[in-house]
Amino acid sequence: MHRIKSLSDYFKKYEQSKKDPDKFWSEIANNFIWKEKWDKVLDWDFESADTKWFKNAKLNITENIFERNLKDRGDKTAIIWEPNDPAQSPIYITYRQLYEETCKFSNALKEKGINKGDRVIIYMPMVPEAAIAMLACARVGAVHSVVFAGFSSTSLADRINDCQAKIVLTSDGNFRGNKIIPVKPVVDEALEKCSTIESVIVLERTKQNINMIEGRDYWWHDCVNDISSQCDSEILDAEDMLFILYTSGSTGKPKGVVHSSAGYMVYSSYSFLNVFQYDEGDIYWCTADVGWITGHSYIVYGPLLCGATSIMFEGVPTFPNVSRFWDIVDKYKVNQFYTAPTAIRALQAHGLEPLKDNSLESLKVIGSVGEPINEEAWHWYHDNIGKGNCPLVDTWWQTETGGIMISALAGITPNKPAHASLPLPGIQPVIVDSAGKELTGNNVQGNLCIKFPWPSILRTTYGDHKRCINTYFSNFKGMYFTGDGVKRDHDGYLRILGRVDDVINVSGHRMGTAEVENAINEHEEVIESAVVGYPHDIKGEGIYAYVIVNSKTSDDKIKIEITNVVRRVIGPIAKPDKIQIVSGLPKTRSGKIMRRILRKVASNDFDNLGDTSTLLNPEIVNEIIKGSSN
Ligand code: WT7
C-alpha cells in the first residue's frame, strides 16, 4: 500500500500531495474497506477549526484491521505480549484470535449497555486486553478514552467527568518492575466524584484483594464467558469520533483531543508503513504505553491496520535489570525498535556493560519520539544499538496530529543527528515569526505551524470547540499552531527546538506548568507557586517549583508534603524534581510572573537574566539566586 521507495520517489509524492491533495489521499484511502465511499475528500476551514476528510463515507476501522487482513494473515501474529516478569510466558495472538477476542469483548460491552457514541474509559496496564478493549470500542462505535494507569484518582475523575463516560475498564492491579501497583482502589476513589459511570469491568492481573461493588463491578472473564465470538461492526461515518485522548496544554485543565475514524485510519497506517518501512514478516516494537498517543497510533492502530506484528511490553526498561530492552530485541528478533530519548539517556548512563551479551543484529530501523533527542544520545543510540548501520528516525508529532508529521523515512531520507528532518507527504509545515510572517528559505527559526490539513488532524477538544480554536488556530491566522519552536537548517532540514509555550516535556511526558502549579496550590499552606522546566540529563526537562508558603513547618517537611500533594492530585510523573521555598516571585508591574527569570535561575544561568530593573520587586531576584537549589 503506497510505500515510498526512494528519495526521488519521496520528493515526487510530496509534490503530488501538495498539488492535488484530494487525489493523493483518495488513492491511499482506496486501499481500505469502505461501506460507502466519500463524496468529497476534504472540506476545511482553519478559522472555525472545522476539518472533514472523506465526507459522508461509511466504514468501521476494525473491519480494516480484521476483515481486510484475515484472508491472508489470519494465522499471522498480530500481537506478541511480553510480560513484566521475563520468567512468565509471552503470549502470541494471531489476527484471527485478536478478531475473536475483540468480537467477544464487543458483545460484552453491548451487554453492559454500551452503544455507538458512548464514552468508555480504559485505565489498564500494558496487556493485550487493553488493545482488545480499544478495538472493541471501535467495533461497536463507542469512543474510547485511554487514561494512563499512572494517573491519580483525581486526574482519572476529571477525565471521566469531562467526557461523561459510562463505563470504566480496568484491572485489579498492575505489575511494574518489582512493584505491584494498586489500581482498583484508585478507580473506586475516582468514582466517588463521578456520577455518569454505570459499570466497571475489571481484568484479573495481579490477583490482589480488591473490593467489588455488587451491581457496578464485573470481572472481565465473567463478561466474556460464554459469549459469541461474532459481532458485526457498527457502521460509522468518516467523521464519527474514534477516540478522545487527554493531554496537557498551557492552561490548567487537560484537553480532550478528539480524533475521528476515517482520517486517523488512513494517516496512522500510511505514516507507520512509510516511516518505519515495514516489510511483511518484520517484528516491530514500540515501547510506549497505550495511555499515550504513541501507543494508540504505533502499537495498536497503525501496525494492525498494516497487518504487522506488534510487540506489547508490560514492564519497564530496568527490570529485572537494565539489559531488558536489548534482551527483548534479541528474544523476538525485533526489526524496528521505537522508543523515547529519555529511555535512551537512562540506559546510556549504564554504559555498554548491559549490552555485552546482546547481538541486536535483527534491528533494521531504530526510532525516537516524544522530545528532542540531543546529539550525544542520538550518537549513542545510533552507534551502540543501531550498530552504526540502522537508520534512526527522529519522529516529530503530537497527540493532536494523530500521526508522525516530520521524520526521516527509514533508509530513504539521509540521516542527520538530532533533526526530525523532512515532512511526510501531505504535511505542510511552515515557520512563522512572532508577528505571524512566514519565514521562507533556509537558516531560519521560529514557530512551527502547519498550513494545510492532514487526515489525522484533531477535530475538536471534547465539549469545548472554542478552546480548540483558541489553542491551535488563533495564534497565527489560518494555520494550525503546534506550540513548538523549529529551525530550518542550511540543507532545508527541520530541527525541533522544544516548546515555546508554558508546556514542559518531562521524560517525553507533556506537562502544563499551570497544571503542576494548581496541584501545588492545593496544599493549604501554599500561597503561590511558579513552575518552570530546566535541563535534566535523563528526563530532558526537570520540574522546578518556586513556592511561597505561609507556614511554620520546616522547609524540608513542607517540600515533602508538596511533593505528596502533586503525586496525589496528578500522579507520580508530575512530581517536582526541585522545590525552592521563596518569599516572593519576580513580577512585572502588571503582576505577571516573569518566568524567563525563573527559568534562567533554574538552569543555573545567572549571568543572562536580562533586564530586571523593570520588575515590581527586583530585590527578589537575588534572594532567589542565593536560595536556588542547584
Ligand atoms: C510534544 C507532543 C508524539 C508522541 C509523543 C508525545 C514534543 C514529540 C518530538 C521529537 C522533538 C518532540 C514536542 C511536541 N515532541 N516528538 N521527535 N523531537 N520534540 O506526544 O504528549 O502530544 O507531546 O512532544 O514538543 O509538541 P505529546
Side-chain angles (χ1 to χ4, degrees):
M1 180 192 99
H2 289 87
R3 207 171 108 168
I4 294 163
K5 298 192 173 61
S6 64
L7 194 58
S8 57
D9 188 23
Y10 159 75
F11 285 120
K12 205 175 91 200
K13 296 269 164 54
Y14 190 81
E15 281 315 309
Q16 286 172 355
S17 75
K18 233 168 118 170
K19 228 177 89 207
D20 194 347
D22 285 19
K23 179 160 176 276
F24 179 82
W25 288 113
S26 59
E27 277 177 17
I28 293 167
N30 275 329
N31 290 289
F32 293 92
I33 302 177
W34 301 88
K35 293 290 175 187
E36 268 173 52
K37 284 270 173 90
W38 49 92
D39 34 58
K40 196 166 179 213
V41 179
L42 170 65
D43 237 354
W44 66 293
D45 174 18
F46 271 179
E47 243 149 78
S48 57
D50 188 13
T51 312
K52 290 191 176 65
W53 281 92
F54 311 109
K55 225 175 152 185
N56 295 325
K58 306 276 180 275
L59 77 159
N60 186 292
I61 193 169
T62 69
E63 292 208 354
N64 285 286
I65 290 175
F66 297 122
E67 280 84 343
R68 181 159 145 269
N69 280 320
L70 282 177
K71 193 162 73 61
D72 298 330
R73 302 187 175 108
D75 296 323
K76 180 177 173 175
T77 304
I79 293 178
I80 301 175
W81 178 67
E82 167 74 6
N84 177 60
D85 180 355
Q88 212 201 318
S89 302
I91 296 177
Y92 291 78
I93 306 170
T94 65
Y95 272 87
R96 185 163 296 106
Q97 288 166 333
L98 188 64
Y99 167 65
E100 287 173 2
E101 294 305 316
T102 298
C103 286
K104 282 189 194 170
F105 200 68
S106 301
N107 287 325
L109 286 174
K110 284 193 194 166
E111 275 188 7
K112 291 286 168 288
I114 299 302
N115 295 309
K116 181 175 164 180
D118 288 340
R119 274 82 56 215
V120 175
I121 296 284
I122 301 178
Y123 186 71
M124 290 180 71
M126 283 290 288
V127 289
E129 286 83 353
I132 291 167
M134 291 163 76
L135 297 170
C137 288
R139 187 118 184 133
V140 304
V143 178
H144 58 72
S145 185
V146 184
V147 177
F148 174 60
F151 274 123
S152 68
S153 66
T154 314
S155 299
L156 176 61
D158 288 347
R159 286 157 176 75
I160 293 172
N161 289 332
D162 189 77
C163 71
Q164 306 267 293
K166 226 167 148 179
I167 187 168
V168 177
L169 314 177
T170 189
S171 64
D172 53 351
N174 295 351
F175 291 118
R176 200 178 151 75
N178 53 18
K179 286 190 266 192
I180 296 183
I181 315 276
V183 175
K184 181 63 169 44
V186 181
V187 174
D188 291 339
E189 198 178 301
L191 293 190
E192 286 170 19
K193 296 176 220 130
C194 306
S195 59
T196 57
I197 296 295
E198 293 167 9
S199 26
V200 178
I201 299 183
V202 185
L203 179 79
E204 185 176 69
R205 176 69 191 115
T206 53
K207 297 199 162 59
Q208 258 145 314
N209 234 336
I210 57 163
N211 187 25
M212 294 287 280
I213 295 179
E214 178 88 43
R216 186 195 77 179
D217 300 351
Y218 305 88
W219 287 106
W220 182 294
H221 51 260
D222 291 337
C223 295
V224 292
N225 187 21
D226 209 15
I227 202 162
S228 165
S229 58
Q230 303 234 313
C231 176
D232 286 343
S233 62
E234 187 74 33
I235 307 302
L236 299 189
D237 185 88
E239 283 300 327
D240 276 341
M241 246 186 274
L242 177 63
F243 65 85
I244 305 169
L245 188 58
Y246 285 86
T247 190
S248 298
S250 37
T251 57
K253 197 171 153 259
K255 297 183 283 271
V257 169
V258 171
H259 282 289
S260 64
S261 261
Y264 180 81
M265 170 179 83
V266 170
Y267 197 75
S268 62
S269 53
Y270 178 77
S271 52
F272 170 74
L273 193 72
N274 280 292
V275 170
F276 297 101
Q277 291 286 304
Y278 184 85
D279 278 318
E280 188 71 44
D282 281 349
I283 307 289
Y284 161 87
W285 180 25
C286 165
T287 68
D289 190 284
V290 287
W292 315 115
I293 190 70
T294 310
H296 284 59
S297 303
Y298 299 112
I299 294 179
V300 181
Y301 288 109
L304 296 181
L305 282 161
C306 292
T309 300
S310 177
I311 296 182
M312 212 174 160
F313 173 44
E314 184 186 32
V316 294
T318 48
F319 177 80
N321 55 55
V322 292
S323 299
R324 187 69 190 277
F325 270 8
W326 322 128
D327 289 347
I328 296 175
V329 168
D330 282 349
K331 181 172 177 185
Y332 301 107
K333 305 209 167 20
V334 170
N335 302 113
Q336 288 91 2
F337 175 73
Y338 190 29
T339 196
T342 290
I344 297 300
R345 288 190 297 261
L347 296 170
Q348 183 185 358
H350 294 276
L352 296 178
E353 173 70 17
L355 285 165
K356 71 177 192 326
D357 295 326
N358 297 95
S359 95
L360 305 179
E361 67 186 10
S362 57
L363 288 175
K364 298 198 287 193
V365 177
I366 54 178
S368 170
V369 60
E371 46 178 321
I373 179 164
N374 49 308
E375 291 196 29
E376 207 193 330
W378 195 98
H379 285 290
W380 189 86
Y381 190 25
H382 182 259
D383 297 350
N384 299 299
I385 306 306
K387 307 283 187 198
N389 59 22
C390 293
L392 195 171
V393 291
D394 176 4
T395 63
W396 175 86
W397 57 299
Q398 311 178 295
T399 304
E400 294 86 344
T401 69
I404 297 169
M405 303 284 282
I406 303 176
S407 169
L409 307 182
I412 290 176
T413 321
N415 255 176
K416 189 170 237 194
H419 284 69
S421 297
L422 298 174
L424 264 67
I427 308 304
Q428 299 188 29
V430 284
I431 304 180
V432 293
D433 67 13
S434 48
K437 190 170 135 269
E438 188 175 331
L439 305 173
T440 51
N442 293 344
N443 277 323
V444 288
Q445 104 177 39
N447 301 296
L448 174 59
C449 293
I450 318 283
K451 71 171 176 193
F452 194 81
W454 61 99
S456 60
I457 186 173
L458 87 157
R459 298 305 197 261
T460 188
T461 46
Y462 192 83
D464 192 353
H465 193 65
K466 263 216 188 86
R467 191 169 179 203
C468 176
I469 299 175
N470 289 340
T471 313
Y472 306 105
F473 300 94
S474 301
N475 292 280
F476 303 102
K477 219 173 149 57
M479 294 182 202
Y480 167 84
F481 175 46
T482 64
D484 281 311
V486 67
K487 180 178 173 187
R488 196 185 293 116
D489 75 0
H490 52 275
D491 292 327
Y493 278 43
L494 298 169
R495 178 177 192 149
I496 308 296
L497 303 170
R499 302 288 305 197
V500 294
D501 53 9
D502 287 324
V503 169
I504 52 182
N505 194 321
V506 185
S507 301
H509 300 316
R510 192 164 139 182
M511 204 96 59
T513 52
E515 224 179 309
V516 185
E517 287 162 7
N518 290 349
I520 292 174
N521 298 348
E522 290 216 356
H523 189 293
E524 55 180 13
E525 287 168 8
V526 168
I527 297 173
E528 195 178 5
S529 63
V531 166
V532 296
Y534 71 98
H536 187 288
D537 283 349
I538 306 280
K539 299 178 170 187
E541 276 186 288
I543 302 179
Y544 196 120
Y546 297 89
V547 190
I548 307 173
V549 293
N550 172 16
S551 152
K552 298 207 167 39
T553 321
S554 76
D555 281 6
D556 284 345
K557 190 158 169 264
I558 201 138
K559 284 184 194 176
I560 295 172
E561 288 177 15
I562 288 171
T563 305
N564 287 336
V565 171
V566 176
R567 174 193 275 274
R568 178 170 53 74
V569 176
I570 306 178
I573 54 173
K575 277 185 334 193
D577 297 277
K578 292 180 179 175
I579 299 175
Q580 181 180 350
I581 306 295
V582 293
S583 68
L585 294 165
K587 290 204 174 156
T588 62
R589 284 179 199 279
S590 60
K592 260 185 78 177
I593 298 174
M594 278 281 255
R595 285 168 193 279
R596 177 175 54 82
I597 293 174
L598 297 177
R599 266 187 232 116
K600 294 278 180 201
V601 174
S603 356
N604 255 333
D605 190 5
F606 304 132
D607 298 333
N608 294 301
L609 296 179
D611 185 11
T612 57
S613 63
T614 56
L615 288 176
L616 191 66
N617 50 349
E619 70 290 346
I620 201 73
V621 177
N622 269 335
E623 180 207 303
I624 289 182
I625 291 177
K626 272 202 212 107
S628 76
S629 26
N630 284 303

